[in-house]
Structures are given as C-alpha cells and as structure tokens.
Amino acid sequence: MWSLINHLVSPRKFYSLSSKIHPWLTVLFLLVFSYGVIGGLLLAPADYLQGDGFRIIYVHAPAAFLSLFIFTIMAGAAICGLVFQLKQAFLVIKHSASLGAGFTLLALITGSLWGKPMWGTFWIWDARLSSELILFFIYLGVLLLQSALSQKRMAEKTIAIFILIGFVDIPIIHYSVYWWNTLHQGDTLKLFSPSAIDSSMLYPLLAMIAAFLLYYALILFMRMRYELLTTNHHWLRN
Amino acid sequence: MDAYGWYVYSAYGCMMIFLVSQWLIPWRRLQQLREKNHEQDS
C-alpha cells in the first residue's frame, strides 16, 4: 500500500501525468470560466435589493473560498511533509503560498469594492474582514520565511509548522459570521442544506468556483513542473 | 449596470489582471526553458 502511494506521488509520475492533463485542464478551465463570467455579468438577473452590485459575488465569493481552500491544502501538505517526508508536499506549499496570498488579496479588494456601495464604506473592522486580513498576513509570513531561510531542510520544516499554527485562523474565518455580530452576511452556499440563492444566480457562482479551482490546479502544476525541470531535475531520473 | 458599474467592472478587472499575470509568468518561464533545451539538443 505504502509503495503504491509512493509510486503515485513520485515526481516522475506526477510530471508525466500533469503534462498529459495540462491541455485538457486548460480547455476545461476556459469553458467553465467563460460560462461563469458571462453568467455572472449577463445571464444572472439583478438582485432585488442590491441591483447589479451583487454581481461582484461571482469574483469575491470564489476568491474567498480559494483563499481558505489553498491554505487547507497547504496544511495537509505540511502534515504529509512532516509525517511522511514526502518531497512533493513541500513543493506544493512553496508554489501554493503566492497563489493563496493573491486570492486572499483579491477577496479583500473585491470585498471592499462590494462594501462601498452596500455598506457605505470600503473597510470596517468586522470579524470576517479582520480574520481574512490576518490570513493574508499569514500568507505573507510564509512567503517571507521562504525567502529569509536559506537552509532548505530547516526552512521546509519551519514553514510547515508555521502553516499548521496559522491553520487556527481558517475555522475562525468560517464561523466568524456566526460567533460574532458582523456586518458581513452569512454563508450563501451551504453544504448540507438548500442554498439561499436562486438557481439562475447559483449556477454561474458554482461555475466560477470550479473555474478558480481548475486555475489553481493548472498554475500549481505548471510551477511544480518548472521546478522539477530546473532545480530538482535529479528527481526525474531513474 | 446602473450606478454600480464602476465597482463591478473594477472587481472583474482586478480578477482578470490577477489571473492573467499569475498564468503568464510560469508559462513564459516554461516556454523559455523548453526553447533553451531545444537549442541544446539541436
């Protein structure tokens, strides 16, 4: 079993598989993303209260979801790296951090652009906004550690432990709207109960979330392949 | 898009800038590496 897992996550296997699926992922991303953008800007009807201003949800909610999702992937990779000593796990962390920081910043900027016309202000020290800002600083911390620590093995372990400590912020972000009185609305999409959004507005939103997930996979694989071809090319040899 | 147009298009513009820049940087590096390897092989 262990040898099978080891075989599947081996750099050579990953490189050949990711090279093969890359064009298919690109086409799928472009299709889903196009539907999401057209659906968000044109097909979905305007909200009865927020008018066309609600269309920012199609950028803001998927970006916020990705900011949490990528950090969860990084925490999983940190455990795999620390416990199972998987070399690939540290590569996932290295190349996910800047993408996660980018999605978090995008969520904060688009949230501000949505907040101004709806709340009358670009920023407020609300629990959800503040905890998301803390996540952005945690991402910056990971990036700073990556550039500051020169000894590779020590840097990888330090960053993995830092990520696991920072993971405390993820449930705080998610439950902040329930634990405190916040200006930010509750969850639009619920996993185990019907969503509070009409299907004509829901499908473009789901498409944008799927598109962002595909985009994350595409860019992560592209960066990891580049790293395998340059600094870690010996991993690809027999 | 009534009065919210500036906010909506700014949000979508930020998204496009982020997605395109994050895509082009690794893609360009990978292309340059391939060209370099191709030159060395030939």
Side-chain angles (χ1 to χ4, degrees):
Chain A
M1 182 68 186
W2 179 244
S3 62
L4 178 72
I5 293 170
N6 232 0
H7 174 69
L8 286 174
V9 297
S10 77
R12 288 182 65 230
K13 189 85 183 167
F14 164 79
Y15 185 84
S16 94
L17 194 68
S18 64
S19 303
K20 278 178 198 160
I21 63 168
H22 183 83
W24 298 104
L25 272 181
T26 308
V27 171
L28 193 60
F29 162 73
L30 290 173
L31 286 174
V32 177
F33 180 71
S34 304
Y35 169 70
V37 171
I38 294 166
L41 282 174
L42 302 171
L43 302 179
D47 184 68
Y48 81 103
L49 199 60
Q50 301 185 33
D52 284 313
F54 102 100
R55 296 183 194 280
I56 296 175
I57 197 176
Y58 297 106
V59 181
H60 174 70
F65 172 76
L66 259 285
S67 70
L68 304 185
F69 178 81
I70 292 175
F71 203 84
T72 308
I73 293 288
M74 284 166 64
I79 292 171
C80 288
L82 288 173
V83 178
F84 304 113
Q85 303 291 318
L86 290 175
K87 291 180 285 186
Q88 293 267 73
F90 294 116
L91 271 190
V92 170
I93 292 172
K94 184 181 174 186
H95 296 291
S96 292
S98 58
L99 278 170
F103 276 114
T104 312
L105 185 63
L106 186 65
L108 289 168
I109 291 171
T110 53
S112 294
L113 288 168
W114 199 3
K116 181 63 181 169
M118 300 304 150
W119 300 339
T121 178
F122 281 111
W123 183 264
I124 188 167
W125 292 103
D126 171 282
R128 172 61 72 88
L129 277 69
S130 306
S131 51
E132 184 75 9
L133 182 66
I134 290 169
L135 180 65
F136 179 63
F137 290 142
I138 294 170
Y139 273 120
L140 288 186
V142 174
L143 292 171
L144 284 172
L145 281 173
Q146 278 177 355
S147 57
L149 301 173
S150 54
Q151 203 192 344
K152 197 184 165 199
R153 297 283 291 172
M154 193 195 130
E156 286 173 346
K157 284 186 179 176
T158 310
I159 291 165
I161 292 165
F162 181 76
I163 288 166
L164 291 177
I165 295 167
F167 189 73
V168 174
D169 192 40
I170 300 300
I172 294 175
I173 294 172
H174 182 72
Y175 290 107
S176 58
V177 287
Y178 303 109
W179 289 345
W180 294 284
N181 273 327
T182 60
L183 202 54
H184 195 284
Q185 67 179 65
D187 292 337
T188 306
L189 298 177
K190 295 179 177 73
L191 204 57
F192 300 109
S193 56
S195 298
I197 181 171
D198 188 71
S199 57
S200 58
M201 296 170 166
L202 176 67
Y203 295 140
L205 182 59
L206 292 176
M208 283 301 273
I209 293 172
F212 276 24
L213 285 169
L214 285 166
Y215 177 86
Y216 166 59
L218 263 173
I219 306 300
L220 179 68
F221 291 169
M222 204 159 26
R223 287 180 173 192
M224 287 173 69
R225 274 164 50 214
Y226 178 77
E227 173 113 7
L228 286 173
L229 282 173
T230 52
T231 44
N232 292 318
H233 54 87
H234 55 281
W235 289 4
L236 296 174
R237 291 191 202 121
N238 279 323
Chain B
M1 201 58 73
D2 55 57
Y4 302 119
W6 188 88
Y7 298 103
V8 174
Y9 290 124
S10 296
Y12 279 74
C14 287
M15 174 189 71
M16 290 310 294
I17 290 167
F18 168 70
L19 295 183
V20 171
S21 63
Q22 291 291 312
W23 186 306
L24 283 181
I25 295 164
W27 182 80
R28 183 80 195 120
R29 279 183 190 158
L30 213 52
Q31 292 301 314
Q32 282 173 341
L33 189 73
R34 278 187 187 148
E35 280 167 19
K36 199 175 138 190
N37 287 346
H38 186 71
E39 278 171 18
Q40 281 175 350
D41 290 343
S42 60

